[in-house]
Amino acid sequence: MVVPNEVKDIGIACKRFLFTTEFSGFLILTLFQNELILSIGIRLLIEAILAAYFYIKCSDSSGIPLQGDDDLELSQLSISTQQRDNSQQESQIPIRNICQECKIIQPFRTKHCTKCKKCIPKYDHHCFWVGGCIGELNHRIFWLFLFFQCLLCFDSLFQFNKQLSLYSIYEEEQKDNKYQYQYFVILLFGAISFGFGIFTGALLLYHTMLIVTGQTTWEHTKRDKITYLKFYPKFYHPYNYGLIVNMRLTFFHNNKQSYWIPPQKDQIQEQCNLFDNKYYSCC
């Protein structure tokens, strides 16, 4: 199912705003910096190109839910009960949901996005900046966009600060206040760079935490409402396979989606990680 035009239009508007702001900032650096070193300009340009590349590539590439031949068998297993004795009946894996909109039995970690009007595998969140959802196939692209965008913002902020110092020296040498316009423009774009840098930096740290712990934004923030997670103990995450495997599944999946099968309840082992455990939680 194609993403609705109104969702794409919001993404296009965000892209235009971001690209216009970054181009204007780059132009200001070029025009105002009398001592702009060529290597600095090339570095900033490369950072901007990489951020723009991953930003555009991230749009509407989250994947589609996998539907295999074992769907019926797995769904039957998920709603079956096994008798251990006369007093114990317990389902061994969570129940899978049925999407009434898409008319499918949702694979685990799949959520229907009401804005995109389709089910998203390994749903993370709907990003209006991107104009679509972040899911299994484009989560790594989204992380790379955040990384280069954050790098560009703070690198630009450092260059704006150098410009401010440079014009301060000019005023002291010439004893003239003719650089008020340059001060205003530099401070304006420096503030924008700082704002974008803090915003993308916080998102970068948060998504890094999610990746290394095998979670998604939806799973981390809505755990108490997600059926397949309520099935397990509070600080146990069924898809946390350890740092190395979690990173491999996120960054090196070769554009192939995973069929997420949760562990049986009687086979789970207690997890304890730096961010969420039985003693404290980061959020």
Side-chain angles (χ1 to χ4, degrees):
M1 187 178 293
V2 180
V3 175
N5 289 330
E6 56 267 25
V7 174
K8 285 188 175 181
D9 290 342
I10 294 175
I12 291 172
C14 290
K15 288 179 176 67
R16 288 174 178 171
F17 170 76
L18 186 60
F19 292 154
T20 301
T21 304
E22 290 184 349
F23 176 76
S24 301
F26 190 78
L27 191 62
I28 293 300
L29 282 172
T30 304
L31 294 177
F32 283 7
Q33 176 62 281
N34 296 331
E35 297 180 2
L36 181 66
I37 301 174
L38 181 61
S39 60
I40 295 175
I42 293 175
R43 185 182 70 209
L44 290 171
L45 184 60
I46 291 174
E47 292 168 359
I49 290 174
L50 287 172
Y53 171 76
F54 290 115
Y55 183 34
I56 294 173
K57 193 174 176 60
C58 193
S59 302
D60 194 28
S61 58
S62 53
I64 58 176
L66 292 174
Q67 297 296 311
D69 295 335
D70 57 343
D71 262 8
L72 180 60
E73 178 184 350
L74 188 58
S75 62
Q76 288 175 343
L77 177 61
S78 68
I79 62 176
S80 66
T81 59
Q82 297 183 8
Q83 291 186 343
R84 300 301 180 89
D85 51 46
N86 293 333
S87 64
Q88 183 181 16
Q89 291 188 346
E90 184 179 24
S91 176
Q92 284 302 294
I93 65 173
I95 297 173
R96 293 171 59 189
N97 294 325
I98 298 176
C99 179
Q100 300 297 336
E101 298 292 330
C102 299
K103 308 300 181 186
I104 63 170
I105 301 175
Q106 289 181 331
F108 292 110
R109 313 194 84 181
T110 298
K111 182 181 182 297
H112 185 86
C113 177
T114 55
K115 297 182 179 64
C116 293
K117 300 184 187 301
K118 63 178 183 179
C119 286
I120 307 297
K122 198 186 174 186
Y123 176 86
D124 189 89
H125 71 285
H126 178 87
C127 181
F128 70 90
W129 281 98
V130 169
C133 282
I134 306 302
E136 180 170 10
L137 295 186
N138 62 352
H139 197 183
R140 62 177 179 180
I141 302 173
F142 183 71
W143 188 91
L144 288 168
F145 157 64
L146 291 176
F147 175 79
F148 285 109
Q149 184 67 39
C150 184
L151 183 65
L152 174 64
C153 287
F154 284 108
D155 198 357
S156 298
L157 182 63
F158 179 70
Q159 299 306 321
F160 281 125
N161 183 61
K162 286 178 63 177
Q163 282 194 23
L164 211 58
S165 301
L166 192 63
Y167 281 106
S168 297
I169 295 173
Y170 288 165
E171 283 195 345
E172 290 180 2
E173 290 178 347
Q174 300 177 15
K175 297 182 179 180
D176 194 352
N177 294 326
K178 66 179 181 179
Y179 297 112
Q180 296 302 314
Y181 171 73
Q182 285 86 342
Y183 273 127
F184 173 76
V185 175
I186 291 171
L187 286 173
L188 175 63
F189 279 91
I192 293 174
S193 295
F194 179 75
F196 272 113
I198 292 296
F199 177 68
T200 56
L203 280 177
L204 177 65
L205 291 175
Y206 179 64
H207 279 272
T208 300
M209 183 275 291
L210 293 176
I211 289 171
V212 300
T213 57
Q215 302 181 75
T216 65
T217 300
W218 177 51
E219 291 170 341
H220 187 247
T221 58
K222 303 292 184 181
R223 182 184 179 97
D224 294 339
K225 298 180 179 179
I226 300 175
T227 305
Y228 65 83
L229 291 183
K230 288 194 294 184
F231 186 81
Y232 296 100
K234 184 176 181 180
F235 295 109
Y236 175 84
H237 197 281
Y239 302 108
N240 183 2
Y241 303 120
L243 174 63
I244 303 300
V245 176
N246 291 339
M247 293 183 65
R248 179 174 59 80
L249 290 173
T250 301
F251 290 100
F252 305 101
H253 51 59
N254 295 322
N255 290 322
K256 294 181 180 179
Q257 294 177 203
S258 302
Y259 204 100
W260 304 96
I261 300 178
Q264 294 188 16
K265 199 168 186 178
D266 62 354
Q267 295 177 339
I268 67 174
Q269 297 179 353
E270 184 178 5
Q271 291 177 345
C272 182
N273 62 65
L274 179 64
F275 303 100
D276 294 284
N277 54 66
K278 64 182 181 180
Y279 302 107
Y280 63 85
S281 175
C282 70
C283 299

